[in-house]
Amino acid sequence: MAQEEKNASDDYIINIEHLNKKFIVDKQPMEVLRDITLQIKKGEFITIVGHSGCGKSTLLKIMCGLVGYEDGIVERNGHAVEGPGPNCGMVFQDHRLLPWLKIKDNVGFGLRGIPKEEKAEKVRKHLEMVGLAGFENSYPAQLSGGMSQRAAIARGLVNNPTILLLDEPFGALDALTRIQMQKEILRIQKEEGTTMVMVTHDIDEAIYLGDRIVVMSARPGEIKEIIKVDKADSRNRGSAGFAAYKKKIYNYFFEDSDEEYEVEYVI
Ligand SMILES: Nc1ncnc2c1ncn2[C@@H]1O[C@H](COP(=O)(O)OP(=O)(O)O)[C@@H](O)[C@H]1O
Ligand SMILES: [Mg+2]
């Protein structure tokens, strides 16, 4: 049957198979990613955790097309990734807003070739989506850290990408703002149906947001495990299920983690 002959990779919005990546450092090849295989379905929320320097940002940049790779398969929407495109947005830890442009112009910066009114409407809609209605004419220096990240998310979504890649987007925010932003990014993901891939060094955040959590080894980054998360557990940060995920992930990073991390069952 034709359906059965269909390539399995057609079902995935991102398909990575046996990806290897090296950088040349001091004229020597340095292995950064080793044999990465990861398939992501449309509408999934994937979180990636791993030690600093294990290649997480590099992996996102490869998915986005900002960085090339030696061998393996990297496909977005069934096509080999050859460079950045409007169907894939990216948000970084530092908001990267241009200080001399108003928020509305920062958010609309990448919108090219559409009528002025349509552009203004898209910018308005996305500022509203991230809770920044009324700040269109502010400059980045006038916004708090959380508001700047909201603007960066609006800029990442303004092209209506099917995929949004987020590289530690809340890493510089205080704990309370961070929790609020986590709830909002989930709401936006549900409303827009965007596939999201987020790198985070915050294990709680990885559990709370991820439908699946990719756990990586130290460099060269290999995938140690992909943990499927039961959302009934993970949306309740005080549940025993949440604590159990946390312990499982801690075990990957700290030997003898019973001493390092005691699970408290709070229900
Ligand atoms: N363009 C580059 N050229 C050379 N080395 C790089 C480059 N980008 C990253 N690296 C190195 O690759 C490794 C992985 O980096 P990165 O992907 O940023 O890690 P992570 O995001 O997991 O902290 C690090 O050792 C980093 O110094
Ligand atoms: Mg990084």
Side-chain angles (χ1 to χ4, degrees):
M1 254 172 77
Q3 191 64 25
E4 282 170 354
E5 286 165 17
K6 201 165 126 280
N7 188 335
S9 69
D10 291 351
D11 296 333
Y12 301 115
I13 194 159
I14 293 177
N15 178 46
I16 301 174
E17 292 176 42
H18 306 296
L19 164 70
N20 292 301
K21 172 70 189 170
K22 292 189 183 81
F23 282 120
I24 304 295
V25 177
D26 295 334
K27 298 185 182 160
Q28 298 293 320
M30 180 181 77
E31 198 180 3
V32 175
L33 293 169
R34 182 186 287 175
D35 198 21
I36 300 289
T37 292
L38 174 64
Q39 276 104 14
I40 302 175
K41 285 191 181 149
K42 190 170 179 345
E44 263 195 304
F45 202 130
I46 298 291
T47 50
I48 303 177
V49 292
H51 284 290
S52 184
C54 78
K56 304 179 297 297
S57 296
T58 303
L59 180 57
L60 282 197
K61 286 178 193 161
I62 290 172
M63 289 183 198
C64 184
L66 288 171
V67 164
Y69 51 98
E70 285 80 49
D71 50 37
I73 294 171
V74 182
E75 294 172 332
R76 264 194 338 248
N77 294 304
H79 300 285
V81 172
E82 279 164 2
N87 68 354
C88 188
M90 193 140 178
V91 178
F92 300 91
Q93 178 172 357
D94 48 334
H95 53 71
R96 303 191 184 189
L97 299 173
L98 300 171
W100 58 88
L101 289 183
K102 291 176 177 176
I103 295 307
K104 64 179 182 188
D105 298 323
N106 264 293
V107 170
F109 192 74
L111 284 174
R112 303 277 156 85
I114 60 169
K116 216 173 142 195
E117 297 73 34
E118 197 182 322
K119 179 171 171 173
E121 175 52 23
K122 275 181 185 277
V123 170
R124 191 203 60 73
K125 179 188 158 199
H126 286 88
L127 281 174
E128 189 180 310
M129 187 190 290
V130 298
L132 283 182
F135 292 91
E136 294 78 0
N137 293 312
S138 301
Y139 285 92
Q142 297 172 303
L143 301 189
S144 68
M147 291 160 87
S148 302
Q149 277 313 83
R150 288 170 191 272
I153 291 167
R155 185 187 49 194
L157 288 169
V158 78
N159 269 316
N160 295 323
T162 47
I163 303 163
L164 189 65
L165 306 174
L166 304 117
D167 195 356
E168 305 200 18
F170 308 144
L173 304 181
D174 66 86
L176 294 181
T177 307
R178 191 172 187 135
I179 288 174
Q180 193 180 0
M181 295 296 289
Q182 291 166 2
K183 288 177 188 282
E184 298 211 11
I185 199 79
L186 272 187
R187 172 184 57 78
I188 292 169
Q189 196 227 5
K190 280 213 183 84
E191 282 173 14
E192 301 295 299
T194 316
T195 307
M196 294 197 181
V197 186
M198 181 192 283
V199 168
T200 176
H201 56 252
D202 181 329
I203 292 176
D204 284 34
E205 183 167 274
I207 300 165
Y208 182 74
L209 293 176
D211 296 315
R212 289 187 293 150
I213 306 167
V214 177
V215 182
M216 291 182 65
S217 69
R219 199 183 73 220
E222 288 181 278
I223 295 180
K224 287 186 164 188
E225 188 177 349
I226 300 177
I227 302 171
K228 193 165 174 8
V229 182
D230 179 341
K231 297 324 286 179
D233 282 335
S234 72
R235 293 283 149 76
N236 179 357
R237 297 177 206 253
S239 70
F242 196 101
Y245 284 119
K246 208 164 161 175
K247 180 164 175 55
K248 185 175 171 73
I249 297 170
Y250 263 75
N251 277 333
Y252 274 112
F253 298 116
F254 303 106
E255 284 171 33
D256 217 0
S257 74
D258 276 344
E259 283 180 27
E260 296 274 353
Y261 177 76
E262 288 289 335
V263 175
E264 286 176 34
Y265 289 96
V266 185
I267 300 179

